[in-house]
């Protein structure tokens, strides 16, 4: 090749500068994309976690007026240890993959909210057994994973449990049972089911199965000790 056909030094220098400039723009683009990704993921995750709070759940009156008062009556709401299991602790998986799947499934609940699927107490009670069965099936399918985030057979101290609980837990462990097989009414009232008992065969009310404790007698101001003793 003759010297005349070779590009000049200036041309080669300009070409090299252009190449370096394009590479620099590529690096800058990667860095910008990296930080944009962080901002996007942070915003997405923040919004996602906002939907995993008890406050968010109770923003729908269907939850606040129906299942939440029942939950407040249970040991998962208030107990001697001061540890509370909130709505998402039981109803939203902790792992990212299953959590995303559950969020997609929950889109049906949004549609139910918009269409007034259970916007009254009567509608909720009519659909209660169906809604409960869906949740029981989900927990059965994942081996009661939400329960086992806090409770674990391996951590049980059977000496601290009463005889009935200790026997039932050891029997369940040996037979491969899962929590929801036995514990269906621990956070909410059980739905009305056909129990084949009662005068009409349709079951009895929860007041019959679980009667309220009698209120203690109130001491009247003018009652004598003998009168009070006679009423006891």
């Amino acid at each position: 090749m003759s010297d005349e056909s070779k590009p000049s030094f200036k041309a080669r220098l300009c070409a090299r500068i252009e190449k370096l400039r394009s590479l620099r723009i590529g690096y800058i683009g990667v860095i910008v994309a990296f930080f944009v990704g962080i901002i996007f993921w942070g915003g997405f995750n923040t919004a996602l976690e906002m939907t995993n709070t008890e406050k968010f759940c109770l923003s729908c009156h269907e939850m606040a007026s129906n299942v939440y008062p029942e939950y407040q009556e249970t040991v998962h709401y208030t107990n001697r240890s001061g540890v509370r299991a909130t709505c998402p602790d039981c109803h939203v998986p902790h792992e990212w993959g299953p959590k995303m799947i559950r969020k997609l499934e929950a889109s049906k609940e949004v549609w139910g909210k918009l269409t007034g699927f259970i916007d009254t107490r009567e509608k909720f009670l009519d659909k209660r057994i169906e809604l409960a069965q869906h949740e029981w099936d989900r927990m059965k399918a994942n081996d009661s994973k939400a329960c086992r985030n806090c409770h674990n057979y391996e951590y049980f101290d059977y000496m601290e449990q009463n005889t009935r609980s200790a026997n039932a837990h050891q029997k369940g462990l040996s037979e491969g049972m899962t929590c929801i097989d036995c514990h269906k009414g621990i956070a909410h009232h059980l739905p009305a089911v056909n129990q084949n008992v009662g005068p009409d065969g349709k079951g009895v009310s929860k007041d019959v199965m679980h009667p309220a404790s009698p209120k203690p007698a109130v001491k009247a101001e003018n009652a004598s000790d003998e009168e009070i003793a006679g009423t006891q």
Side-chain angles (χ1 to χ4, degrees), residues 133-210:
Q133 191 63 58
H134 287 324
E135 195 65 6
W136 295 339
D137 291 344
R138 183 182 69 83
M139 297 184 74
K140 177 71 173 179
N142 65 20
D143 194 18
S144 303
K145 190 168 183 60
C147 303
R148 293 186 295 106
N149 283 327
C150 295
H151 307 281
N152 192 311
Y153 278 128
E154 296 179 2
Y155 306 154
F156 283 161
D157 184 349
Y158 295 111
M159 297 300 293
E160 292 294 326
Q161 297 181 1
N162 60 45
T163 303
R164 180 187 178 193
S165 296
N167 290 339
H169 285 143
Q170 293 178 77
K171 180 175 183 290
L173 175 62
S174 64
E175 296 180 0
M177 297 175 68
T178 187
C179 310
I180 199 62
D181 287 327
C182 299
H183 299 281
K184 287 186 171 69
I186 56 171
H188 307 292
H189 294 170
L190 286 169
V193 295
N194 188 352
Q195 301 165 303
N196 295 316
V197 296
D200 55 1
K202 295 183 179 179
V204 295
S205 69
K206 67 180 183 67
D207 295 331
V208 175
M209 300 298 290
H210 304 284

Side-chain angles (χ1 to χ4, degrees), residues 98-141:
K99 182 188 295 185
M100 293 300 102
I101 295 174
R102 183 69 189 97
K103 289 299 181 181
L104 292 175
E105 293 173 345
S107 61
K108 294 184 293 185
E109 299 169 13
V110 177
W111 177 250
K113 171 68 176 178
L114 296 176
T115 57
F117 184 68
I118 52 172
D119 57 354
T120 66
R121 176 70 176 173
E122 292 71 25
K123 289 182 181 180
F124 170 76
L125 293 177
D126 288 342
K127 290 289 184 179
R128 178 159 205 163
I129 183 62
E130 176 186 343
L131 299 171
Q133 191 63 58
H134 287 324
E135 195 65 6
W136 295 339
D137 291 344
R138 183 182 69 83
M139 297 184 74
K140 177 71 173 179

Side-chain angles (χ1 to χ4, degrees), residues 10-30:
K10 182 178 180 181
R12 294 198 303 271
L13 181 60
C14 290
R16 183 64 61 85
I17 292 174
E18 286 299 324
K19 185 177 181 180
L20 291 174
R21 184 179 299 170
S22 63
L23 289 175
R24 188 179 65 178
I25 293 175
Y27 291 145
I28 292 174
V30 170

Side-chain angles (χ1 to χ4, degrees), residues 27-153:
Y27 291 145
I28 292 174
V30 170
I31 294 173
V32 170
F34 175 75
F35 283 103
V36 169
I38 291 178
I39 294 172
F40 171 80
W41 177 253
F44 173 78
N45 192 62
T46 299
L48 184 68
E49 291 304 316
M50 286 178 61
T51 67
N52 290 341
T53 62
E54 192 172 88
K55 182 178 180 180
F56 178 83
C57 297
L58 298 181
S59 63
C60 293
H61 79 88
E62 291 87 350
M63 299 294 183
S65 303
N66 292 308
V67 294
Y68 186 67
E70 300 172 358
Y71 155 69
Q72 289 180 298
E73 301 172 1
T74 70
V75 71
H76 282 99
Y77 181 80
T78 180
N79 52 70
R80 60 187 175 84
S81 66
V83 178
R84 176 177 295 178
T86 61
C87 308
D89 290 324
C90 296
H91 295 284
V92 180
H94 292 191
E95 297 76 13
W96 192 85
K99 182 188 295 185
M100 293 300 102
I101 295 174
R102 183 69 189 97
K103 289 299 181 181
L104 292 175
E105 293 173 345
S107 61
K108 294 184 293 185
E109 299 169 13
V110 177
W111 177 250
K113 171 68 176 178
L114 296 176
T115 57
F117 184 68
I118 52 172
D119 57 354
T120 66
R121 176 70 176 173
E122 292 71 25
K123 289 182 181 180
F124 170 76
L125 293 177
D126 288 342
K127 290 289 184 179
R128 178 159 205 163
I129 183 62
E130 176 186 343
L131 299 171
Q133 191 63 58
H134 287 324
E135 195 65 6
W136 295 339
D137 291 344
R138 183 182 69 83
M139 297 184 74
K140 177 71 173 179
N142 65 20
D143 194 18
S144 303
K145 190 168 183 60
C147 303
R148 293 186 295 106
N149 283 327
C150 295
H151 307 281
N152 192 311
Y153 278 128

